[in-house]
Coordinates of all heavy atoms in Angstrom, one line a residue:
M1 N 98.7 85.3 114.0 CA 97.3 85.7 114.1 C 97.3 87.1 114.8 O 98.0 87.3 115.7 CB 96.5 84.7 114.8 CG 96.4 83.4 114.1 SD 95.6 83.5 112.5 CE 93.9 83.5 112.9
F2 N 96.3 87.9 114.4 CA 96.1 89.1 115.1 C 95.2 88.9 116.3 O 94.4 88.0 116.4 CB 95.3 90.1 114.2 CG 96.1 90.7 113.1 CD1 95.9 90.4 111.8 CD2 97.0 91.6 113.4 CE1 96.6 91.0 110.8 CE2 97.8 92.3 112.4 CZ 97.5 92.0 111.1
K3 N 95.5 89.7 117.3 CA 94.6 89.8 118.4 C 93.6 90.8 118.0 O 93.8 91.7 117.2 CB 95.4 90.3 119.6 CG 96.5 89.4 120.1 CD 97.2 90.0 121.3 CE 98.3 89.1 121.7 NZ 99.1 89.7 122.7
L4 N 92.4 90.7 118.6 CA 91.3 91.5 118.2 C 91.6 93.0 118.4 O 91.4 93.9 117.6 CB 90.0 91.2 119.0 CG 88.8 92.0 118.6 CD1 88.4 91.9 117.1 CD2 87.6 91.5 119.5
R5 N 92.3 93.3 119.5 CA 92.7 94.7 119.8 C 93.6 95.2 118.8 O 93.5 96.3 118.3 CB 93.3 94.7 121.2 CG 93.7 96.2 121.6 CD 94.4 96.1 123.0 NE 95.7 95.5 123.0 CZ 96.9 96.0 122.7 NH1 96.9 97.3 122.6 NH2 98.0 95.4 122.7
D6 N 94.6 94.4 118.4 CA 95.6 94.8 117.4 C 94.9 95.0 116.0 O 95.2 96.0 115.3 CB 96.7 93.8 117.2 CG 97.6 93.7 118.5 OD1 97.5 94.6 119.3 OD2 98.3 92.7 118.6
A7 N 94.0 94.2 115.7 CA 93.3 94.3 114.4 C 92.4 95.6 114.4 O 92.3 96.3 113.4 CB 92.4 93.1 114.2
L8 N 91.8 95.9 115.5 CA 91.0 97.1 115.6 C 91.9 98.4 115.5 O 91.5 99.4 114.9 CB 90.2 97.2 116.9 CG 89.1 96.2 117.0 CD1 88.5 96.2 118.4 CD2 88.0 96.6 116.0
I9 N 93.1 98.3 116.1 CA 94.0 99.5 116.0 C 94.4 99.7 114.6 O 94.5 100.8 114.1 CB 95.3 99.2 116.9 CG1 94.8 99.4 118.4 CG2 96.4 100.2 116.6 CD1 95.9 98.9 119.4
I10 N 94.7 98.6 113.9 CA 95.1 98.7 112.5 C 94.0 99.2 111.6 O 94.2 100.1 110.8 CB 95.6 97.3 111.9 CG1 97.0 97.0 112.6 CG2 95.8 97.4 110.4 CD1 97.4 95.6 112.4
A11 N 92.8 98.7 111.9 CA 91.6 99.2 111.1 C 91.4 100.7 111.4 O 91.1 101.4 110.4 CB 90.4 98.4 111.5
V12 N 91.5 101.1 112.6 CA 91.3 102.5 112.9 C 92.4 103.4 112.2 O 92.1 104.4 111.7 CB 91.3 102.8 114.4 CG1 91.4 104.2 114.8 CG2 90.0 102.2 115.0
L13 N 93.6 102.9 112.2 CA 94.7 103.6 111.6 C 94.5 103.8 110.1 O 94.6 104.9 109.5 CB 96.1 102.9 111.8 CG 97.3 103.5 111.1 CD1 97.6 104.9 111.6 CD2 98.5 102.6 111.2
L14 N 94.1 102.7 109.4 CA 93.9 102.7 108.0 C 92.7 103.6 107.6 O 92.7 104.3 106.6 CB 93.7 101.3 107.4 CG 95.0 100.4 107.6 CD1 94.7 99.0 107.0 CD2 96.2 101.0 107.0
T15 N 91.7 103.5 108.4 CA 90.5 104.4 108.2 C 90.8 105.8 108.4 O 90.4 106.7 107.6 CB 89.4 104.0 109.1 OG1 89.1 102.6 108.9 CG2 88.1 104.8 108.9
A16 N 91.6 106.1 109.5 CA 92.0 107.5 109.7 C 92.9 108.1 108.6 O 92.7 109.2 108.2 CB 92.8 107.6 111.0
I17 N 93.7 107.2 108.0 CA 94.5 107.7 106.9 C 93.6 108.1 105.7 O 93.8 109.1 105.1 CB 95.5 106.6 106.5 CG1 96.7 106.5 107.5 CG2 96.1 106.8 105.1 CD1 97.6 105.3 107.3
Q18 N 92.7 107.2 105.4 CA 91.8 107.5 104.3 C 91.0 108.7 104.5 O 90.8 109.5 103.6 CB 91.0 106.3 103.9 CG 91.8 105.1 103.4 CD 90.9 104.0 102.9 OE1 89.8 103.9 103.1 NE2 91.6 103.1 102.1
V19 N 90.4 108.8 105.7 CA 89.6 110.0 106.0 C 90.5 111.3 106.0 O 90.1 112.3 105.4 CB 88.9 109.9 107.4 CG1 88.3 111.2 107.9 CG2 87.9 108.8 107.3
G20 N 91.7 111.2 106.5 CA 92.6 112.4 106.5 C 92.9 112.8 105.1 O 92.9 114.0 104.8
V21 N 93.2 111.9 104.2 CA 93.5 112.2 102.8 C 92.3 112.8 102.1 O 92.4 113.8 101.4 CB 94.0 111.0 102.0 CG1 94.2 111.3 100.5 CG2 95.4 110.6 102.6
H22 N 91.1 112.2 102.4 CA 89.9 112.8 101.8 C 89.6 114.2 102.3 O 89.3 115.1 101.5 CB 88.7 111.9 102.1 CG 87.4 112.4 101.6 ND1 87.1 112.3 100.3 CD2 86.4 113.0 102.3 CE1 85.9 112.9 100.1 NE2 85.4 113.3 101.3
L23 N 89.8 114.4 103.6 CA 89.5 115.8 104.1 C 90.5 116.8 103.6 O 90.1 117.9 103.2 CB 89.6 115.8 105.7 CG 88.4 115.0 106.3 CD1 88.7 114.9 107.8 CD2 87.1 115.7 106.0
L24 N 91.8 116.4 103.5 CA 92.8 117.4 102.9 C 92.5 117.6 101.4 O 92.6 118.8 101.0 CB 94.2 116.8 103.1 CG 94.8 117.0 104.5 CD1 96.1 116.2 104.6 CD2 95.1 118.5 104.7
T25 N 92.0 116.6 100.7 CA 91.6 116.8 99.3 C 90.4 117.7 99.2 O 90.4 118.7 98.3 CB 91.3 115.5 98.7 OG1 92.5 114.6 98.8 CG2 91.0 115.6 97.2
A26 N 89.4 117.5 100.0 CA 88.3 118.4 100.0 C 88.6 119.8 100.4 O 88.0 120.8 99.8 CB 87.2 117.9 101.0
W27 N 89.5 120.0 101.3 CA 89.9 121.3 101.8 C 90.9 122.1 100.8 O 90.7 123.3 100.5 CB 90.5 121.2 103.2 CG 90.9 122.5 103.8 CD1 90.3 123.7 103.8 CD2 92.2 122.7 104.5 NE1 91.0 124.6 104.5 CE2 92.1 124.1 105.0 CE3 93.2 121.9 104.9 CZ2 93.2 124.6 105.7 CZ3 94.3 122.5 105.6 CH2 94.2 123.8 106.0
Q28 N 91.9 121.4 100.3 CA 92.9 122.0 99.5 C 93.0 121.5 98.1 O 94.0 121.9 97.4 CB 94.3 121.8 100.2 CG 94.4 122.5 101.5 CD 94.5 124.0 101.4 OE1 95.0 124.5 100.5 NE2 93.8 124.7 102.3
G29 N 92.1 120.7 97.7 CA 92.2 120.2 96.3 C 93.4 119.3 96.0 O 93.7 118.5 96.9
D30 N 94.0 119.4 94.9 CA 95.1 118.5 94.5 C 96.3 118.6 95.4 O 96.9 117.7 95.7 CB 95.5 118.8 93.1 CG 94.5 118.3 92.0 OD1 93.6 117.5 92.4 OD2 94.6 118.8 90.9
A31 N 96.6 119.8 95.9 CA 97.7 120.0 96.8 C 97.4 119.3 98.1 O 98.3 118.7 98.7 CB 97.9 121.5 97.1
G32 N 96.2 119.4 98.6 CA 95.8 118.6 99.8 C 95.9 117.1 99.6 O 96.4 116.4 100.5
M33 N 95.5 116.7 98.5 CA 95.6 115.2 98.2 C 97.0 114.8 98.2 O 97.4 113.8 98.8 CB 95.0 114.9 96.8 CG 95.1 113.4 96.5 SD 94.3 113.0 94.9 CE 95.4 113.9 93.7
L34 N 97.9 115.6 97.6 CA 99.3 115.2 97.6 C 99.9 115.2 99.0 O 100.6 114.3 99.3 CB 100.1 116.2 96.6 CG 101.6 115.9 96.5 CD1 101.8 114.5 95.9 CD2 102.2 116.9 95.6
A35 N 99.6 116.3 99.7 CA 100.2 116.4 101.1 C 99.7 115.2 102.0 O 100.4 114.6 102.7 CB 99.8 117.7 101.7
G36 N 98.4 114.9 101.9 CA 97.8 113.8 102.7 C 98.4 112.5 102.3 O 98.7 111.6 103.1
T37 N 98.5 112.3 101.0 CA 99.1 111.1 100.5 C 100.5 110.8 100.9 O 100.9 109.7 101.3 CB 99.0 111.0 98.9 OG1 97.6 111.2 98.6 CG2 99.5 109.7 98.4
L38 N 101.3 111.9 100.9 CA 102.7 111.8 101.3 C 102.8 111.5 102.8 O 103.6 110.6 103.2 CB 103.5 113.1 101.0 CG 103.6 113.4 99.5 CD1 104.4 114.7 99.3 CD2 104.3 112.2 98.8
L39 N 102.0 112.1 103.6 CA 102.0 111.8 105.0 C 101.5 110.4 105.3 O 102.1 109.6 106.1 CB 101.1 112.8 105.8 CG 101.7 114.2 105.9 CD1 100.6 115.1 106.5 CD2 102.9 114.2 106.8
A40 N 100.5 110.0 104.6 CA 99.9 108.6 104.7 C 100.9 107.6 104.3 O 101.0 106.5 104.9 CB 98.6 108.5 104.0
A41 N 101.6 107.8 103.3 CA 102.6 106.9 102.7 C 103.7 106.5 103.7 O 104.3 105.5 103.6 CB 103.2 107.3 101.4
L42 N 104.0 107.4 104.6 CA 105.0 107.1 105.7 C 104.5 105.9 106.5 O 105.3 105.1 107.0 CB 105.2 108.3 106.6 CG 105.9 109.5 105.9 CD1 105.9 110.7 106.9 CD2 107.3 109.1 105.5
A43 N 103.2 105.8 106.7 CA 102.7 104.7 107.5 C 102.3 103.5 106.7 O 102.6 102.3 107.0 CB 101.5 105.2 108.3
D44 N 101.5 103.7 105.6 CA 100.9 102.6 104.8 C 100.6 103.1 103.4 O 99.8 103.9 103.2 CB 99.7 102.1 105.5 CG 99.1 100.9 104.8 OD1 99.8 99.8 104.7 OD2 98.0 101.0 104.2
V45 N 101.3 102.5 102.5 CA 101.1 102.9 101.1 C 99.8 102.4 100.5 O 99.2 103.0 99.6 CB 102.3 102.5 100.2 CG1 102.3 101.0 99.9 CG2 102.3 103.3 98.9
H46 N 99.2 101.3 101.1 CA 98.0 100.7 100.6 C 96.8 101.7 100.9 O 96.0 101.9 100.0 CB 97.7 99.3 101.1 CG 98.8 98.4 100.8 ND1 99.9 98.2 101.7 CD2 99.1 97.7 99.7 CE1 100.7 97.3 101.1 NE2 100.3 97.0 99.9
A47 N 96.7 102.1 102.1 CA 95.7 103.1 102.5 C 95.8 104.4 101.7 O 94.8 104.9 101.3 CB 95.7 103.3 104.0
A48 N 97.0 104.8 101.5 CA 97.2 106.1 100.8 C 96.8 105.9 99.3 O 96.1 106.8 98.8 CB 98.7 106.5 100.8
T49 N 97.1 104.8 98.8 CA 96.7 104.5 97.4 C 95.2 104.4 97.3 O 94.6 105.0 96.3 CB 97.4 103.2 96.9 OG1 98.8 103.3 97.0 CG2 97.0 102.8 95.5
A50 N 94.6 103.7 98.2 CA 93.1 103.6 98.2 C 92.4 104.9 98.3 O 91.5 105.2 97.6 CB 92.6 102.6 99.3
A51 N 93.0 105.8 99.2 CA 92.4 107.1 99.3 C 92.5 108.0 98.1 O 91.6 108.7 97.8 CB 93.1 107.8 100.5
V52 N 93.6 107.8 97.3 CA 93.8 108.5 96.1 C 92.9 108.0 95.0 O 92.3 108.7 94.3 CB 95.3 108.5 95.7 CG1 95.4 109.1 94.3 CG2 96.1 109.3 96.7
L53 N 92.8 106.7 94.9 CA 92.1 106.1 93.8 C 90.6 106.2 93.9 O 89.8 106.0 93.0 CB 92.5 104.6 93.6 CG 93.9 104.4 93.1 CD1 94.2 102.9 93.0 CD2 94.1 105.0 91.7
V54 N 90.1 106.6 95.1 CA 88.7 106.9 95.3 C 88.3 108.1 94.4 O 87.2 108.2 93.9 CB 88.4 107.2 96.8 CG1 87.0 107.8 97.0 CG2 88.4 105.9 97.6
R55 N 89.2 108.9 94.2 CA 89.0 110.1 93.4 C 88.9 109.8 91.9 O 88.4 110.6 91.1 CB 90.2 111.1 93.7 CG 89.9 112.5 93.2 CD 90.6 113.5 94.0 NE 90.3 114.8 93.4 CZ 91.2 115.7 93.2 NH1 92.4 115.5 93.4 NH2 90.8 116.8 92.6
G56 N 89.5 108.7 91.5 CA 89.4 108.3 90.1 C 90.6 107.5 89.7 O 91.6 107.4 90.5
A57 N 90.7 107.1 88.5 CA 91.8 106.3 88.0 C 92.8 107.3 87.3 O 92.4 108.4 87.0 CB 91.3 105.3 86.9
P58 N 94.0 106.8 87.1 CA 95.0 107.7 86.5 C 94.6 108.2 85.1 O 95.0 109.2 84.6 CB 96.3 106.8 86.4 CG 96.1 105.9 87.6 CD 94.7 105.6 87.7
G59 N 93.6 107.5 84.4 CA 93.2 107.9 83.1 C 92.0 108.8 83.2 O 91.5 109.2 82.1
S60 N 91.5 109.2 84.3 CA 90.3 110.0 84.5 C 90.7 111.5 84.3 O 91.8 111.8 84.0 CB 89.7 109.8 85.8 OG 90.5 110.3 86.9
A61 N 89.7 112.4 84.5 CA 89.9 113.8 84.3 C 91.0 114.3 85.3 O 91.8 115.2 85.0 CB 88.6 114.6 84.5
A62 N 91.0 113.8 86.5 CA 92.0 114.2 87.5 C 93.2 113.3 87.5 O 94.1 113.3 88.4 CB 91.4 114.1 88.9
G63 N 93.4 112.6 86.3 CA 94.5 111.7 86.2 C 95.9 112.2 86.5 O 96.6 111.5 87.2
P64 N 96.3 113.3 86.0 CA 97.7 113.8 86.2 C 98.0 114.0 87.7 O 99.0 113.6 88.2 CB 97.8 115.1 85.5 CG 96.8 115.0 84.4 CD 95.7 114.2 84.9
A65 N 97.0 114.5 88.5 CA 97.2 114.7 89.9 C 97.2 113.4 90.6 O 98.0 113.2 91.5 CB 96.1 115.6 90.5
I66 N 96.4 112.5 90.2 CA 96.3 111.1 90.8 C 97.6 110.4 90.6 O 98.1 109.8 91.5 CB 95.1 110.4 90.3 CG1 93.8 111.0 90.8 CG2 95.1 108.9 90.7 CD1 92.5 110.5 90.2
A67 N 98.0 110.4 89.3 CA 99.3 109.7 89.0 C 100.5 110.3 89.8 O 101.3 109.5 90.3 CB 99.5 109.7 87.5
S68 N 100.5 111.6 89.9 CA 101.6 112.2 90.6 C 101.6 111.8 92.1 O 102.6 111.6 92.7 CB 101.5 113.7 90.5 OG 101.8 114.1 89.2
A69 N 100.4 111.8 92.7 CA 100.2 111.5 94.1 C 100.6 110.0 94.3 O 101.3 109.7 95.3 CB 98.8 111.7 94.5
L70 N 100.2 109.1 93.4 CA 100.6 107.7 93.5 C 102.1 107.5 93.4 O 102.7 106.8 94.2 CB 99.9 106.9 92.5 CG 98.4 106.7 92.6 CD1 97.8 106.0 91.4 CD2 98.1 106.0 93.9
M71 N 102.7 108.2 92.5 CA 104.2 108.0 92.3 C 104.9 108.6 93.5 O 105.9 108.0 94.0 CB 104.6 108.7 91.0 CG 104.2 108.0 89.8 SD 104.9 108.7 88.2 CE 103.8 110.1 88.0
A72 N 104.5 109.7 94.0 CA 105.1 110.3 95.2 C 104.9 109.4 96.4 O 105.9 109.3 97.2 CB 104.6 111.7 95.4
A73 N 103.7 108.9 96.5 CA 103.5 108.0 97.7 C 104.4 106.8 97.7 O 104.9 106.4 98.7 CB 102.0 107.6 97.7
L74 N 104.5 106.2 96.5 CA 105.4 105.0 96.4 C 106.8 105.4 96.7 O 107.5 104.6 97.4 CB 105.3 104.4 95.0 CG 104.0 103.8 94.7 CD1 103.9 103.5 93.2 CD2 103.9 102.5 95.4
L75 N 107.3 106.5 96.3 CA 108.7 106.9 96.6 C 108.9 107.2 98.0 O 109.9 106.8 98.6 CB 109.1 108.1 95.7 CG 109.2 107.8 94.2 CD1 109.3 109.1 93.4 CD2 110.4 106.9 93.9
V76 N 108.0 107.9 98.6 CA 108.1 108.2 100.1 C 108.0 106.9 100.9 O 108.8 106.7 101.8 CB 106.9 109.2 100.5 CG1 106.8 109.2 102.0 CG2 107.2 110.6 100.0
H77 N 107.1 106.0 100.5 CA 107.0 104.7 101.3 C 108.3 103.9 101.1 O 108.8 103.3 102.1 CB 105.8 103.9 100.8 CG 105.5 102.8 101.7 ND1 105.1 102.9 103.0 CD2 105.6 101.5 101.5 CE1 104.9 101.7 103.5 NE2 105.2 100.8 102.6
A78 N 108.9 103.9 99.9 CA 110.2 103.2 99.8 C 111.2 103.8 100.6 O 112.0 103.1 101.3 CB 110.6 103.2 98.3
G79 N 111.3 105.1 100.7 CA 112.2 105.8 101.6 C 112.0 105.4 103.0 O 113.0 105.2 103.8
S80 N 110.8 105.4 103.5 CA 110.5 105.0 104.9 C 110.9 103.6 105.1 O 111.4 103.3 106.2 CB 109.0 105.3 105.2 OG 108.2 104.4 104.7
K81 N 110.7 102.7 104.2 CA 111.1 101.3 104.3 C 112.6 101.2 104.5 O 113.1 100.4 105.3 CB 110.7 100.4 103.2 CG 109.2 100.0 103.2 CD 109.0 99.1 102.0 CE 107.6 98.5 102.1 NZ 107.3 97.5 101.1
C82 N 113.3 102.0 103.7 CA 114.8 102.0 103.8 C 115.2 102.5 105.2 O 116.2 101.9 105.8 CB 115.4 102.8 102.7 SG 115.2 102.1 101.1
V83 N 114.6 103.5 105.7 CA 114.9 104.0 107.0 C 114.6 103.0 108.1 O 115.4 102.8 109.0 CB 114.2 105.4 107.3 CG1 114.3 105.8 108.7 CG2 114.7 106.5 106.4
V84 N 113.5 102.3 108.0 CA 113.2 101.3 108.9 C 114.2 100.1 108.9 O 114.6 99.6 109.9 CB 111.7 100.7 108.7 CG1 111.4 99.5 109.5 CG2 110.7 101.8 109.1
A85 N 114.6 99.8 107.7 CA 115.6 98.7 107.5 C 116.9 99.1 108.2 O 117.5 98.3 108.9 CB 115.9 98.4 106.0
L86 N 117.3 100.4 108.1 CA 118.5 100.9 108.7 C 118.3 100.9 110.2 O 119.2 100.4 111.0 CB 118.8 102.3 108.2 CG 120.0 103.0 108.9 CD1 121.3 102.3 108.6 CD2 120.1 104.4 108.4
A87 N 117.2 101.3 110.7 CA 117.0 101.4 112.2 C 116.8 100.0 112.8 O 117.3 99.8 113.9 CB 115.7 102.2 112.4
S88 N 116.3 99.1 112.1 CA 116.0 97.8 112.7 C 117.2 96.8 112.5 O 117.4 95.9 113.4 CB 114.8 97.1 112.1 OG 114.9 96.9 110.8
G89 N 118.0 97.0 111.4 CA 119.0 96.0 111.2 C 120.4 96.5 111.0 O 121.3 95.8 110.7
G90 N 120.5 97.8 111.0 CA 121.9 98.4 110.9 C 122.2 98.7 109.4 O 121.5 98.4 108.5
W91 N 123.4 99.2 109.2 CA 123.9 99.5 107.9 C 124.0 98.3 107.0 O 123.6 98.4 105.8 CB 125.3 100.2 108.0 CG 125.1 101.6 108.4 CD1 125.4 102.1 109.7 CD2 124.6 102.7 107.7 NE1 125.2 103.5 109.7 CE2 124.7 103.9 108.5 CE3 124.2 102.9 106.4 CZ2 124.2 105.1 108.1 CZ3 123.7 104.1 106.0 CH2 123.8 105.2 106.8
R92 N 124.5 97.2 107.4 CA 124.7 96.1 106.6 C 123.3 95.6 106.0 O 123.2 95.2 104.9 CB 125.4 94.9 107.3 CG 126.9 95.3 107.5 CD 127.6 94.2 108.2 NE 127.7 93.1 107.3 CZ 128.2 91.9 107.6 NH1 128.6 91.7 108.8 NH2 128.3 91.0 106.7
Y93 N 122.3 95.5 106.9 CA 121.0 95.1 106.5 C 120.4 96.1 105.5 O 119.8 95.7 104.5 CB 120.1 94.9 107.8 CG 118.7 94.5 107.4 CD1 118.5 93.2 106.9 CD2 117.6 95.3 107.6 CE1 117.2 92.7 106.6 CE2 116.4 94.9 107.3 CZ 116.2 93.6 106.8 OH 114.9 93.2 106.5
A94 N 120.5 97.4 105.8 CA 120.0 98.4 105.0 C 120.6 98.3 103.6 O 119.9 98.5 102.6 CB 120.1 99.8 105.6
L95 N 121.9 98.1 103.5 CA 122.6 98.1 102.3 C 122.2 96.8 101.5 O 122.3 96.8 100.2 CB 124.1 98.1 102.5 CG 124.7 99.4 102.9 CD1 126.2 99.3 103.2 CD2 124.4 100.5 101.8
A96 N 121.8 95.8 102.2 CA 121.3 94.6 101.5 C 119.9 94.7 101.0 O 119.5 94.2 99.9 CB 121.4 93.4 102.4
V97 N 119.1 95.4 101.7 CA 117.6 95.5 101.4 C 117.3 96.7 100.5 O 116.4 96.6 99.6 CB 116.8 95.6 102.8 CG1 115.4 95.9 102.5 CG2 117.0 94.3 103.5
A98 N 117.9 97.8 100.8 CA 117.5 99.1 100.1 C 117.6 99.0 98.6 O 116.7 99.6 97.9 CB 118.3 100.3 100.7
P99 N 118.6 98.5 98.0 CA 118.6 98.5 96.5 C 117.4 97.8 95.9 O 116.9 98.2 94.9 CB 119.9 97.7 96.2 CG 120.8 98.0 97.4 CD 119.9 97.9 98.6
G100 N 117.0 96.7 96.5 CA 115.8 96.0 96.0 C 114.6 96.8 96.1 O 113.7 96.9 95.2
I101 N 114.4 97.4 97.3 CA 113.2 98.3 97.5 C 113.2 99.4 96.5 O 112.2 99.7 95.9 CB 113.3 98.8 99.0 CG1 113.0 97.7 100.0 CG2 112.2 99.9 99.1 CD1 113.2 98.1 101.4
V102 N 114.3 100.1 96.4 CA 114.4 101.2 95.5 C 114.2 100.8 94.0 O 113.5 101.5 93.3 CB 115.8 102.0 95.6 CG1 116.0 103.0 94.6 CG2 115.8 102.6 97.0
A103 N 114.8 99.7 93.6 CA 114.7 99.2 92.2 C 113.3 98.9 91.8 O 112.8 99.3 90.8 CB 115.6 98.0 92.0
H104 N 112.6 98.1 92.7 CA 111.2 97.8 92.3 C 110.3 99.0 92.4 O 109.3 99.1 91.6 CB 110.7 96.5 93.1 CG 110.0 96.8 94.3 ND1 110.7 96.8 95.5 CD2 108.7 97.1 94.6 CE1 109.8 97.1 96.5 NE2 108.6 97.2 96.0
T105 N 110.6 99.9 93.3 CA 109.7 101.1 93.4 C 109.9 102.0 92.1 O 109.0 102.5 91.5 CB 110.0 101.9 94.6 OG1 109.8 101.0 95.8 CG2 109.2 103.1 94.7
L106 N 111.2 102.1 91.7 CA 111.4 103.0 90.5 C 110.9 102.3 89.3 O 110.4 103.0 88.4 CB 112.9 103.2 90.4 CG 113.6 104.1 91.4 CD1 115.1 104.2 91.2 CD2 113.0 105.5 91.3
A107 N 110.9 101.0 89.2 CA 110.3 100.3 88.1 C 108.8 100.6 88.0 O 108.2 100.9 86.9 CB 110.5 98.8 88.2
F108 N 108.1 100.5 89.1 CA 106.7 100.7 89.1 C 106.3 102.2 88.9 O 105.4 102.5 88.1 CB 106.1 100.3 90.5 CG 104.6 100.2 90.4 CD1 103.9 99.2 89.7 CD2 103.8 101.2 91.1 CE1 102.5 99.1 89.7 CE2 102.4 101.1 91.0 CZ 101.8 100.1 90.3
V109 N 107.1 103.1 89.5 CA 106.9 104.5 89.2 C 107.1 104.8 87.7 O 106.4 105.6 87.1 CB 107.8 105.4 90.1 CG1 107.9 106.8 89.7 CG2 107.3 105.3 91.5
G110 N 108.1 104.2 87.1 CA 108.4 104.3 85.7 C 107.2 103.9 84.8 O 106.8 104.6 83.9
V111 N 106.6 102.8 85.2 CA 105.4 102.3 84.5 C 104.3 103.3 84.6 O 103.6 103.6 83.6 CB 105.0 100.9 85.0 CG1 103.6 100.5 84.5 CG2 106.0 99.9 84.6
L112 N 104.1 103.8 85.8 CA 103.0 104.8 86.0 C 103.3 106.1 85.2 O 102.4 106.7 84.7 CB 102.9 105.2 87.5 CG 102.0 104.3 88.3 CD1 102.1 104.8 89.8 CD2 100.6 104.4 87.9
A113 N 104.6 106.5 85.1 CA 104.9 107.7 84.4 C 104.7 107.6 82.9 O 104.4 108.6 82.2 CB 106.4 108.1 84.7
L114 N 104.8 106.4 82.4 CA 104.6 106.1 81.0 C 103.1 106.2 80.6 O 102.8 106.3 79.4 CB 105.2 104.8 80.6 CG 106.7 104.7 80.6 CD1 107.2 103.3 80.3 CD2 107.3 105.7 79.7
Q115 N 102.2 106.1 81.5 CA 100.8 106.0 81.2 C 100.2 107.4 81.1 O 100.4 108.3 81.6 CB 100.0 105.2 82.2 CG 100.4 103.8 82.1 CD 99.5 102.9 82.9 OE1 98.6 103.3 83.6 NE2 99.7 101.6 82.7

């Protein structure tokens, strides 16, 4: 169970991620959205995805930029998960975990790329 303080910290972090991506998008357009999404994906891919999808669906007018940002966010987040696996469990753990992380991420990115 979460402690109230921990839940508030997580809520503030996720909100800050979404606000940051929105502000970068408003300031720099598609390039800002991509930069904000990549930074956000290092911490949490769900908040980064939500911040991007607020702008529209991959099938909307901004679809190509949204799809690119989503694919990049997934790849960056997978890389950060692999680094965390290495740091927390060593090489043997990372070698056991990383292929699965990379495989399912590439599968999902491939599906997004086909749309």
